[in-house]
Amino acid sequence: DARVIRQIENMEEWLHGFLPAIMSRGFCVGAFDGPRVIGFNLVALEEAFVSLLNFKKRLLPHEAWSEQITVLKEYRKQGLASALRYRAFAELQKRGVRQIYSGSLISNIPSQKAAEKVGFRFIADVHYLRVLNRERRIWRRSRHDGY
């Protein structure tokens, strides 16, 4: 549905131009308030893309990557992010996927707490430093094993 895709792309600017490619090798679980998208969890299979680092990684058949989870501010703290994750886990289980990875900025404590709440555990802190343009990003990688 082009209307839904536009709403998701408008919620997360980095998805413009990437969403069709991600959807072709994964799926999206969405939450709606009438026709309005209020949250989504975009899950990739086959290949992970870490937008913050402009990095791609091939995934094994039993692995998945949570590309993006977003809930509109006015709908946060109502359990929606957890519900989206659990629905994604159910779909992954049907597909035989046993591990899902995700990442967040190390400063994004609410995202990390939400991930821990549904069973993700933190496995690495990743630091990115670009010397010439003085760019620096630090993010935390997490994994969820089994459902």
Side-chain angles (χ1 to χ4, degrees):
D1 183 338
R3 179 187 52 81
V4 171
I5 289 172
R6 266 192 315 279
Q7 287 184 62
I8 290 171
E9 287 178 337
N10 288 335
M11 290 170 76
E12 293 296 342
E13 187 177 310
W14 78 269
L15 288 172
H16 284 273
F18 287 105
L19 193 55
I22 295 168
M23 293 294 295
S24 71
R25 62 182 199 284
F27 62 91
C28 185
V29 177
F32 296 83
D33 186 356
R36 182 179 181 206
V37 177
I38 60 171
F40 68 92
N41 188 11
L42 186 58
V43 178
L45 305 167
E46 299 176 20
E47 184 178 78
F49 176 63
V50 182
S51 61
L52 285 172
L53 306 176
N54 196 25
F55 171 76
K56 291 182 182 180
K57 181 184 182 334
R58 192 100 175 112
L59 298 170
L60 297 173
H62 67 277
E63 297 176 326
W65 172 254
S66 181
E67 292 278 356
Q68 183 71 42
I69 184 162
T70 299
V71 174
L72 292 177
K73 283 185 183 183
E74 61 265 33
Y75 292 90
R76 291 182 186 164
K77 297 187 180 185
Q78 298 176 32
L80 189 53
S82 294
L84 289 166
R85 291 277 198 202
Y86 288 130
R87 179 62 189 96
F89 294 164
E91 180 61 29
L92 290 168
Q93 188 174 29
K94 281 191 234 173
R95 295 176 184 221
V97 175
R98 298 185 312 271
Q99 292 179 332
I100 182 169
Y101 294 91
S102 72
S104 69
L105 288 172
I106 205 138
S107 60
N108 191 343
I109 303 302
S111 178
Q112 292 173 37
K113 285 183 178 180
E116 275 185 309
K117 186 176 177 180
V118 297
F120 279 89
R121 60 187 174 87
F122 300 105
I123 59 173
D125 287 340
V126 178
H127 302 259
Y128 171 78
L129 177 64
R130 189 173 176 179
V131 177
L132 295 177
N133 291 342
R134 296 184 179 187
E135 198 172 311
R136 180 177 178 214
R137 296 185 180 119
I138 302 172
W139 64 291
R140 180 165 264 187
R141 185 172 171 210
S142 57
R143 180 174 75 200
H144 189 286
D145 298 311
Y147 311 103

